[in-house]
Amino acid sequence: MATPHQLILFELSIQSSYLNNTEAPATEDVFDTIQFFAANGKAWRIKTFATDQDVHIWELGFDGTDELVELAVGHTEANYGDVLEAGYVMASETGLDGLRAELDARELPVNLKETPFGAVFWTPPGSHYRTQSRPSE
């Protein structure tokens, strides 16, 4: 049996820069996200900053799959509820191809960025997200 993959994607109504400490209203194509991804016994929380295409990725201390949706929704609503625009919960038994099909079914661009350490996150087409700053938490 294939390892289940999960992607939980929250669109925010802002676009921000961690580096410059700025925030502006989102546009249809440019917005921050909070994402959670789980696969192969690991889980991550991903925050994208749309203004400068910066990304912060944290590995979570558990394998994800069962409690990830509850954690993701609770955390995101508590910390970003005032700027939460939309949320999507996707799961696949067929790996990243299955997640791409889930994105397509929701009429979202099918654009996943893979990292060398296993985390995967959604990005808008034509973007080049990479870690440019380090959070101070």
Side-chain angles (χ1 to χ4, degrees), residues 54-70:
D54 192 4
V55 61
H56 294 170
I57 302 171
W58 296 268
E59 186 171 345
L60 302 175
F62 64 96
D63 70 4
T65 55
D66 292 333
E67 56 284 323
L68 188 60
V69 173
E70 184 178 335

mmCIF file with all atom_site columns, all heavy atoms in Angstrom, residues 54-70:
data_model
loop_
_atom_site.group_PDB
_atom_site.id
_atom_site.type_symbol
_atom_site.label_atom_id
_atom_site.label_alt_id
_atom_site.label_comp_id
_atom_site.label_asym_id
_atom_site.label_entity_id
_atom_site.label_seq_id
_atom_site.pdbx_PDB_ins_code
_atom_site.Cartn_x
_atom_site.Cartn_y
_atom_site.Cartn_z
_atom_site.occupancy
_atom_site.B_iso_or_equiv
_atom_site.pdbx_formal_charge
_atom_site.auth_seq_id
_atom_site.auth_comp_id
_atom_site.auth_asym_id
_atom_site.auth_atom_id
_atom_site.pdbx_PDB_model_num
ATOM 1   N N   . ASP A 1 54 ? 9.297  34.279 -0.089 1.00 0.00 ? 54 ASP A N   1
ATOM 2   C CA  . ASP A 1 54 ? 10.060 33.672 0.996  1.00 0.00 ? 54 ASP A CA  1
ATOM 3   C C   . ASP A 1 54 ? 9.230  32.518 1.564  1.00 0.00 ? 54 ASP A C   1
ATOM 4   O O   . ASP A 1 54 ? 7.999  32.550 1.519  1.00 0.00 ? 54 ASP A O   1
ATOM 5   C CB  . ASP A 1 54 ? 10.295 34.751 2.069  1.00 0.00 ? 54 ASP A CB  1
ATOM 6   C CG  . ASP A 1 54 ? 11.311 34.372 3.124  1.00 0.00 ? 54 ASP A CG  1
ATOM 7   O OD1 . ASP A 1 54 ? 11.939 33.297 3.040  1.00 0.00 ? 54 ASP A OD1 1
ATOM 8   O OD2 . ASP A 1 54 ? 11.486 35.185 4.067  1.00 0.00 ? 54 ASP A OD2 1
ATOM 9   N N   . VAL A 1 55 ? 9.886  31.502 2.092  1.00 0.00 ? 55 VAL A N   1
ATOM 10  C CA  . VAL A 1 55 ? 9.174  30.376 2.697  1.00 0.00 ? 55 VAL A CA  1
ATOM 11  C C   . VAL A 1 55 ? 9.893  29.952 3.973  1.00 0.00 ? 55 VAL A C   1
ATOM 12  O O   . VAL A 1 55 ? 11.121 29.933 4.025  1.00 0.00 ? 55 VAL A O   1
ATOM 13  C CB  . VAL A 1 55 ? 9.030  29.188 1.705  1.00 0.00 ? 55 VAL A CB  1
ATOM 14  C CG1 . VAL A 1 55 ? 10.379 28.655 1.266  1.00 0.00 ? 55 VAL A CG1 1
ATOM 15  C CG2 . VAL A 1 55 ? 8.166  28.087 2.292  1.00 0.00 ? 55 VAL A CG2 1
ATOM 16  N N   . HIS A 1 56 ? 9.104  29.657 5.003  1.00 0.00 ? 56 HIS A N   1
ATOM 17  C CA  . HIS A 1 56 ? 9.612  29.091 6.250  1.00 0.00 ? 56 HIS A CA  1
ATOM 18  C C   . HIS A 1 56 ? 8.996  27.717 6.420  1.00 0.00 ? 56 HIS A C   1
ATOM 19  O O   . HIS A 1 56 ? 7.779  27.554 6.288  1.00 0.00 ? 56 HIS A O   1
ATOM 20  C CB  . HIS A 1 56 ? 9.234  29.963 7.448  1.00 0.00 ? 56 HIS A CB  1
ATOM 21  C CG  . HIS A 1 56 ? 9.877  31.310 7.448  1.00 0.00 ? 56 HIS A CG  1
ATOM 22  N ND1 . HIS A 1 56 ? 9.514  32.303 8.326  1.00 0.00 ? 56 HIS A ND1 1
ATOM 23  C CD2 . HIS A 1 56 ? 10.856 31.843 6.682  1.00 0.00 ? 56 HIS A CD2 1
ATOM 24  C CE1 . HIS A 1 56 ? 10.242 33.389 8.107  1.00 0.00 ? 56 HIS A CE1 1
ATOM 25  N NE2 . HIS A 1 56 ? 11.063 33.126 7.106  1.00 0.00 ? 56 HIS A NE2 1
ATOM 26  N N   . ILE A 1 57 ? 9.825  26.725 6.716  1.00 0.00 ? 57 ILE A N   1
ATOM 27  C CA  . ILE A 1 57 ? 9.361  25.346 6.851  1.00 0.00 ? 57 ILE A CA  1
ATOM 28  C C   . ILE A 1 57 ? 9.823  24.803 8.203  1.00 0.00 ? 57 ILE A C   1
ATOM 29  O O   . ILE A 1 57 ? 11.008 24.882 8.530  1.00 0.00 ? 57 ILE A O   1
ATOM 30  C CB  . ILE A 1 57 ? 9.917  24.465 5.712  1.00 0.00 ? 57 ILE A CB  1
ATOM 31  C CG1 . ILE A 1 57 ? 9.483  25.022 4.355  1.00 0.00 ? 57 ILE A CG1 1
ATOM 32  C CG2 . ILE A 1 57 ? 9.469  23.018 5.886  1.00 0.00 ? 57 ILE A CG2 1
ATOM 33  C CD1 . ILE A 1 57 ? 10.140 24.354 3.159  1.00 0.00 ? 57 ILE A CD1 1
ATOM 34  N N   . TRP A 1 58 ? 8.869  24.273 8.965  1.00 0.00 ? 58 TRP A N   1
ATOM 35  C CA  . TRP A 1 58 ? 9.162  23.674 10.258 1.00 0.00 ? 58 TRP A CA  1
ATOM 36  C C   . TRP A 1 58 ? 8.756  22.214 10.226 1.00 0.00 ? 58 TRP A C   1
ATOM 37  O O   . TRP A 1 58 ? 7.626  21.894 9.864  1.00 0.00 ? 58 TRP A O   1
ATOM 38  C CB  . TRP A 1 58 ? 8.363  24.339 11.375 1.00 0.00 ? 58 TRP A CB  1
ATOM 39  C CG  . TRP A 1 58 ? 8.661  25.771 11.622 1.00 0.00 ? 58 TRP A CG  1
ATOM 40  C CD1 . TRP A 1 58 ? 9.575  26.284 12.503 1.00 0.00 ? 58 TRP A CD1 1
ATOM 41  C CD2 . TRP A 1 58 ? 8.037  26.910 11.010 1.00 0.00 ? 58 TRP A CD2 1
ATOM 42  N NE1 . TRP A 1 58 ? 9.552  27.656 12.462 1.00 0.00 ? 58 TRP A NE1 1
ATOM 43  C CE2 . TRP A 1 58 ? 8.615  28.066 11.552 1.00 0.00 ? 58 TRP A CE2 1
ATOM 44  C CE3 . TRP A 1 58 ? 7.039  27.059 10.040 1.00 0.00 ? 58 TRP A CE3 1
ATOM 45  C CZ2 . TRP A 1 58 ? 8.245  29.345 11.171 1.00 0.00 ? 58 TRP A CZ2 1
ATOM 46  C CZ3 . TRP A 1 58 ? 6.667  28.333 9.661  1.00 0.00 ? 58 TRP A CZ3 1
ATOM 47  C CH2 . TRP A 1 58 ? 7.262  29.457 10.227 1.00 0.00 ? 58 TRP A CH2 1
ATOM 48  N N   . GLU A 1 59 ? 9.653  21.326 10.633 1.00 0.00 ? 59 GLU A N   1
ATOM 49  C CA  . GLU A 1 59 ? 9.260  19.931 10.781 1.00 0.00 ? 59 GLU A CA  1
ATOM 50  C C   . GLU A 1 59 ? 8.526  19.790 12.104 1.00 0.00 ? 59 GLU A C   1
ATOM 51  O O   . GLU A 1 59 ? 8.970  20.309 13.132 1.00 0.00 ? 59 GLU A O   1
ATOM 52  C CB  . GLU A 1 59 ? 10.479 19.008 10.748 1.00 0.00 ? 59 GLU A CB  1
ATOM 53  C CG  . GLU A 1 59 ? 10.067 17.549 10.754 1.00 0.00 ? 59 GLU A CG  1
ATOM 54  C CD  . GLU A 1 59 ? 11.205 16.581 10.505 1.00 0.00 ? 59 GLU A CD  1
ATOM 55  O OE1 . GLU A 1 59 ? 12.283 17.002 10.054 1.00 0.00 ? 59 GLU A OE1 1
ATOM 56  O OE2 . GLU A 1 59 ? 10.997 15.383 10.768 1.00 0.00 ? 59 GLU A OE2 1
ATOM 57  N N   . LEU A 1 60 ? 7.384  19.112 12.065 1.00 0.00 ? 60 LEU A N   1
ATOM 58  C CA  . LEU A 1 60 ? 6.589  18.899 13.267 1.00 0.00 ? 60 LEU A CA  1
ATOM 59  C C   . LEU A 1 60 ? 7.077  17.635 13.969 1.00 0.00 ? 60 LEU A C   1
ATOM 60  O O   . LEU A 1 60 ? 7.645  16.747 13.341 1.00 0.00 ? 60 LEU A O   1
ATOM 61  C CB  . LEU A 1 60 ? 5.106  18.777 12.900 1.00 0.00 ? 60 LEU A CB  1
ATOM 62  C CG  . LEU A 1 60 ? 4.533  19.989 12.152 1.00 0.00 ? 60 LEU A CG  1
ATOM 63  C CD1 . LEU A 1 60 ? 3.088  19.716 11.736 1.00 0.00 ? 60 LEU A CD1 1
ATOM 64  C CD2 . LEU A 1 60 ? 4.611  21.243 13.008 1.00 0.00 ? 60 LEU A CD2 1
ATOM 65  N N   . GLY A 1 61 ? 6.831  17.539 15.243 1.00 0.00 ? 61 GLY A N   1
ATOM 66  C CA  . GLY A 1 61 ? 7.353  16.429 16.030 1.00 0.00 ? 61 GLY A CA  1
ATOM 67  C C   . GLY A 1 61 ? 6.475  15.193 16.052 1.00 0.00 ? 61 GLY A C   1
ATOM 68  O O   . GLY A 1 61 ? 6.477  14.468 17.034 1.00 0.00 ? 61 GLY A O   1
ATOM 69  N N   . PHE A 1 62 ? 5.725  14.958 15.008 1.00 0.00 ? 62 PHE A N   1
ATOM 70  C CA  . PHE A 1 62 ? 4.920  13.752 14.930 1.00 0.00 ? 62 PHE A CA  1
ATOM 71  C C   . PHE A 1 62 ? 4.750  13.377 13.465 1.00 0.00 ? 62 PHE A C   1
ATOM 72  O O   . PHE A 1 62 ? 5.084  14.152 12.579 1.00 0.00 ? 62 PHE A O   1
ATOM 73  C CB  . PHE A 1 62 ? 3.565  13.936 15.627 1.00 0.00 ? 62 PHE A CB  1
ATOM 74  C CG  . PHE A 1 62 ? 2.674  14.967 14.984 1.00 0.00 ? 62 PHE A CG  1
ATOM 75  C CD1 . PHE A 1 62 ? 1.698  14.595 14.075 1.00 0.00 ? 62 PHE A CD1 1
ATOM 76  C CD2 . PHE A 1 62 ? 2.812  16.310 15.295 1.00 0.00 ? 62 PHE A CD2 1
ATOM 77  C CE1 . PHE A 1 62 ? 0.889  15.550 13.482 1.00 0.00 ? 62 PHE A CE1 1
ATOM 78  C CE2 . PHE A 1 62 ? 2.003  17.266 14.711 1.00 0.00 ? 62 PHE A CE2 1
ATOM 79  C CZ  . PHE A 1 62 ? 1.037  16.884 13.804 1.00 0.00 ? 62 PHE A CZ  1
ATOM 80  N N   . ASP A 1 63 ? 4.191  12.195 13.219 1.00 0.00 ? 63 ASP A N   1
ATOM 81  C CA  . ASP A 1 63 ? 4.114  11.716 11.841 1.00 0.00 ? 63 ASP A CA  1
ATOM 82  C C   . ASP A 1 63 ? 2.951  12.286 11.041 1.00 0.00 ? 63 ASP A C   1
ATOM 83  O O   . ASP A 1 63 ? 2.834  12.035 9.857  1.00 0.00 ? 63 ASP A O   1
ATOM 84  C CB  . ASP A 1 63 ? 4.106  10.190 11.782 1.00 0.00 ? 63 ASP A CB  1
ATOM 85  C CG  . ASP A 1 63 ? 2.820  9.575  12.306 1.00 0.00 ? 63 ASP A CG  1
ATOM 86  O OD1 . ASP A 1 63 ? 1.893  10.314 12.660 1.00 0.00 ? 63 ASP A OD1 1
ATOM 87  O OD2 . ASP A 1 63 ? 2.765  8.339  12.371 1.00 0.00 ? 63 ASP A OD2 1
ATOM 88  N N   . GLY A 1 64 ? 2.106  13.039 11.684 1.00 0.00 ? 64 GLY A N   1
ATOM 89  C CA  . GLY A 1 64 ? 1.101  13.761 10.919 1.00 0.00 ? 64 GLY A CA  1
ATOM 90  C C   . GLY A 1 64 ? -0.223 13.084 10.725 1.00 0.00 ? 64 GLY A C   1
ATOM 91  O O   . GLY A 1 64 ? -1.150 13.373 11.439 1.00 0.00 ? 64 GLY A O   1
ATOM 92  N N   . THR A 1 65 ? -0.311 12.193 9.842  1.00 0.00 ? 65 THR A N   1
ATOM 93  C CA  . THR A 1 65 ? -1.543 11.773 9.188  1.00 0.00 ? 65 THR A CA  1
ATOM 94  C C   . THR A 1 65 ? -2.829 11.861 10.008 1.00 0.00 ? 65 THR A C   1
ATOM 95  O O   . THR A 1 65 ? -3.764 12.490 9.561  1.00 0.00 ? 65 THR A O   1
ATOM 96  C CB  . THR A 1 65 ? -1.386 10.366 8.599  1.00 0.00 ? 65 THR A CB  1
ATOM 97  O OG1 . THR A 1 65 ? -0.971 9.484  9.622  1.00 0.00 ? 65 THR A OG1 1
ATOM 98  C CG2 . THR A 1 65 ? -0.353 10.376 7.482  1.00 0.00 ? 65 THR A CG2 1
ATOM 99  N N   . ASP A 1 66 ? -2.906 11.254 11.189 1.00 0.00 ? 66 ASP A N   1
ATOM 100 C CA  . ASP A 1 66 ? -4.181 11.216 11.905 1.00 0.00 ? 66 ASP A CA  1
ATOM 101 C C   . ASP A 1 66 ? -4.582 12.563 12.503 1.00 0.00 ? 66 ASP A C   1
ATOM 102 O O   . ASP A 1 66 ? -5.704 13.008 12.338 1.00 0.00 ? 66 ASP A O   1
ATOM 103 C CB  . ASP A 1 66 ? -4.156 10.151 13.005 1.00 0.00 ? 66 ASP A CB  1
ATOM 104 C CG  . ASP A 1 66 ? -4.099 8.751  12.432 1.00 0.00 ? 66 ASP A CG  1
ATOM 105 O OD1 . ASP A 1 66 ? -4.579 8.557  11.294 1.00 0.00 ? 66 ASP A OD1 1
ATOM 106 O OD2 . ASP A 1 66 ? -3.571 7.863  13.110 1.00 0.00 ? 66 ASP A OD2 1
ATOM 107 N N   . GLU A 1 67 ? -3.670 13.202 13.191 1.00 0.00 ? 67 GLU A N   1
ATOM 108 C CA  . GLU A 1 67 ? -4.043 14.430 13.881 1.00 0.00 ? 67 GLU A CA  1
ATOM 109 C C   . GLU A 1 67 ? -3.676 15.710 13.127 1.00 0.00 ? 67 GLU A C   1
ATOM 110 O O   . GLU A 1 67 ? -3.908 16.809 13.609 1.00 0.00 ? 67 GLU A O   1
ATOM 111 C CB  . GLU A 1 67 ? -3.530 14.435 15.308 1.00 0.00 ? 67 GLU A CB  1
ATOM 112 C CG  . GLU A 1 67 ? -2.078 14.246 15.604 1.00 0.00 ? 67 GLU A CG  1
ATOM 113 C CD  . GLU A 1 67 ? -1.454 12.861 15.510 1.00 0.00 ? 67 GLU A CD  1
ATOM 114 O OE1 . GLU A 1 67 ? -2.026 11.820 15.840 1.00 0.00 ? 67 GLU A OE1 1
ATOM 115 O OE2 . GLU A 1 67 ? -0.306 12.852 15.085 1.00 0.00 ? 67 GLU A OE2 1
ATOM 116 N N   . LEU A 1 68 ? -3.174 15.589 11.929 1.00 0.00 ? 68 LEU A N   1
ATOM 117 C CA  . LEU A 1 68 ? -2.705 16.767 11.212 1.00 0.00 ? 68 LEU A CA  1
ATOM 118 C C   . LEU A 1 68 ? -3.834 17.743 10.870 1.00 0.00 ? 68 LEU A C   1
ATOM 119 O O   . LEU A 1 68 ? -3.669 18.949 11.016 1.00 0.00 ? 68 LEU A O   1
ATOM 120 C CB  . LEU A 1 68 ? -1.939 16.384 9.944  1.00 0.00 ? 68 LEU A CB  1
ATOM 121 C CG  . LEU A 1 68 ? -1.239 17.546 9.231  1.00 0.00 ? 68 LEU A CG  1
ATOM 122 C CD1 . LEU A 1 68 ? -0.208 18.206 10.141 1.00 0.00 ? 68 LEU A CD1 1
ATOM 123 C CD2 . LEU A 1 68 ? -0.576 17.066 7.955  1.00 0.00 ? 68 LEU A CD2 1
ATOM 124 N N   . VAL A 1 69 ? -4.971 17.251 10.421 1.00 0.00 ? 69 VAL A N   1
ATOM 125 C CA  . VAL A 1 69 ? -6.066 18.147 10.043 1.00 0.00 ? 69 VAL A CA  1
ATOM 126 C C   . VAL A 1 69 ? -6.525 18.950 11.256 1.00 0.00 ? 69 VAL A C   1
ATOM 127 O O   . VAL A 1 69 ? -6.677 20.173 11.190 1.00 0.00 ? 69 VAL A O   1
ATOM 128 C CB  . VAL A 1 69 ? -7.240 17.376 9.403  1.00 0.00 ? 69 VAL A CB  1
ATOM 129 C CG1 . VAL A 1 69 ? -8.432 18.295 9.180  1.00 0.00 ? 69 VAL A CG1 1
ATOM 130 C CG2 . VAL A 1 69 ? -6.795 16.748 8.090  1.00 0.00 ? 69 VAL A CG2 1
ATOM 131 N N   . GLU A 1 70 ? -6.710 18.280 12.384 1.00 0.00 ? 70 GLU A N   1
ATOM 132 C CA  . GLU A 1 70 ? -7.142 18.973 13.599 1.00 0.00 ? 70 GLU A CA  1
ATOM 133 C C   . GLU A 1 70 ? -6.123 20.035 14.021 1.00 0.00 ? 70 GLU A C   1
ATOM 134 O O   . GLU A 1 70 ? -6.485 21.168 14.334 1.00 0.00 ? 70 GLU A O   1
ATOM 135 C CB  . GLU A 1 70 ? -7.345 17.953 14.719 1.00 0.00 ? 70 GLU A CB  1
ATOM 136 C CG  . GLU A 1 70 ? -7.876 18.559 15.998 1.00 0.00 ? 70 GLU A CG  1
ATOM 137 C CD  . GLU A 1 70 ? -8.105 17.513 17.089 1.00 0.00 ? 70 GLU A CD  1
ATOM 138 O OE1 . GLU A 1 70 ? -8.304 16.325 16.769 1.00 0.00 ? 70 GLU A OE1 1
ATOM 139 O OE2 . GLU A 1 70 ? -8.076 17.911 18.262 1.00 0.00 ? 70 GLU A OE2 1
#
